[in-house]
Amino acid sequence: MPSEKQTAVKYYVGVDVGSASVRAALVDGAGTVVAHAEQPIQVWEPRPDHYEQSSADIWAACCSVTKDVVRGVDASQIRGLGFDATCSLVVVDKQFQPLAVNSEGQSHRNVIMWMDHRAASQVKRINATQHRVLSYVGGAMSVEMQPPKLLWIKENLPESWEKVGYFFDLPDFLSWKATGVTARSLCTVVCKWTYTSDRGWDDTFWKMIGLEDLVKDKYEKIGNHVLSPGEAVGKGLTAGAAEELGLPEGIAVAASLIDAHAGGLGVIGADVKGHNLPCENQPITSRVAMICGTSSCHMGVSETPIFVPGVWGPYFSAMVPGLWLNEGGQSATGKLIDHVVRGHVAFPELEAKAEASAHSIYTYLNSHLDLIKKSLPVGFLTVDLHVWPDFHGNRSPLTDLTLKGMVVGLTLSRGLDELALIYLATIQAIALGTRHILEAMQAAGHEITTLFLCGGLSKNPLFVQMHADITGKPVVLSKEVESVLVGAAILGACASGDFASIQEAMAKMGKIGKVVQPNHEHKRFYDKKYEVFLKLVEHQREYRSIMNSL
């Protein structure tokens, strides 16, 4: 008879640091989330386009939620720990103490968030160099990447710059807190810092943009020890971190991932047999994982490098080992929907009616659209209402952070019907933006048949159906809604040695929940909407050209 120890369930902890909260999950070897906890974290916005956080606040939240999910579990059954986080920049001194990233000197605010756009002039100068490393970020670096933020600190906060000991991407900061090892993940340094898996750091780039000081110390400040995602870091969890997290000392800690990449890991490798999907019996390269939350990321992999204008990458082994990654994205999606809905004059009425019906505001809006559609399909309600969604600039495929949002078709009406319509038009605009990204990827050589969605917005059936109808591709939703946490747990599972590879863990721990098919009868309507969508940005550029001629 097998012993009790041999048959005991093995668990893995995944910790996900998002923009506004930290979440943790206890996940078993089949990818089932057994326990889940969440805690908000603070965001400071001291001025427009400046977003800051505190690494101490984030770590405290990591400890709190991890303790919650492992409470009452036999410590011997917890095998590994994986972290993912937003690609925010953490700044600490030589003693690993926080350094201010603001002119107020508030040292506890030592994190420049991913969505911070303060370094607009710096990224413009970096892109003007046309250095060869830019070919790996779609031809133009984003203001959301780390080099422009580093340059901003050097130029605007010289005191902090002089005191810096280490710059961490947030996922790497977390693995350092857990292990005491300053190793960086290949995912973060390749995707956000210009490191390449074959050549490493390029001295000429850093010297050309005015950050030659990082080269002098052999890149100690930004990382000269790089590990593949899922690889075990150091000797595992330190005694101090184990006490703070409520976990056993010495358990395996994995090299981390950026949050979107963890979401991709959690969904893109799932077994699709029996679901009649075009990607069945096709390589994983026929799939795109969409991680939809505050922002959205579109992750596609290929066996050979594909250079897509306006889309980040190709990055080798940045998400799935052995495959090249391209990453499209939209800087504001969930944040945009919230902005549009909560800023509408009818929002108080919506909030009251949703509360009275015991529904979320978005469930109520979806139901309200069903009431007012009459005999039309819901999506057709916006025949005269069109949105360009770049309220926070365009990440892909136009790589233009100066683009603004647009709405065409407004009237003097101010009621709940109008709020529901602008909400619908905004969701459609986000889906049209996804179509724009997918078309750029396909034109460059990707062969995409199926979308795999995860993240908060994937819980909204209207958002999912619009993406299926507008792209014309089936959408796969994972069985576990918290796919990002499953992805983080997959890292811990690999670090523990319980799986031979990330690919094996992806196949066994990623599970399909639901498939949403596109309504092909609506294709002509959405083709016309897409024509209008592309005209909107043409018009914006035309009127800006006129005004710039003053």
Side-chain angles (χ1 to χ4, degrees), residues 126 146-148 150-151 154 161 205-216:
I126 290 171
Q146 308 303 9
L150 297 175
L151 190 55
K154 181 177 181 179
W161 184 262
F205 170 71
W206 297 101
K207 291 174 181 176
M208 185 178 285
I209 68 170
L211 292 176
E212 60 283 345
D213 4 9
L214 298 177
V215 181
K216 290 174 186 173

Side-chain angles (χ1 to χ4, degrees), residues 6 16 44 52 67 81 165 173 188 197 223 271 276 304 322 343-344 352 362 377 412 430 437 447 463 481 486 520 545:
Q6 288 174 314
D16 164 52
W44 288 269
E52 298 168 6
K67 281 181 175 176
L81 170 64
F173 171 81
T188 59
S197 52
D271 184 352
N276 195 30
T304 57
H344 196 279
Y362 296 116
L412 292 174
I430 292 167
I437 292 166
E447 296 180 5
F463 183 90
V481 176
V486 172
H520 294 295
S545 176

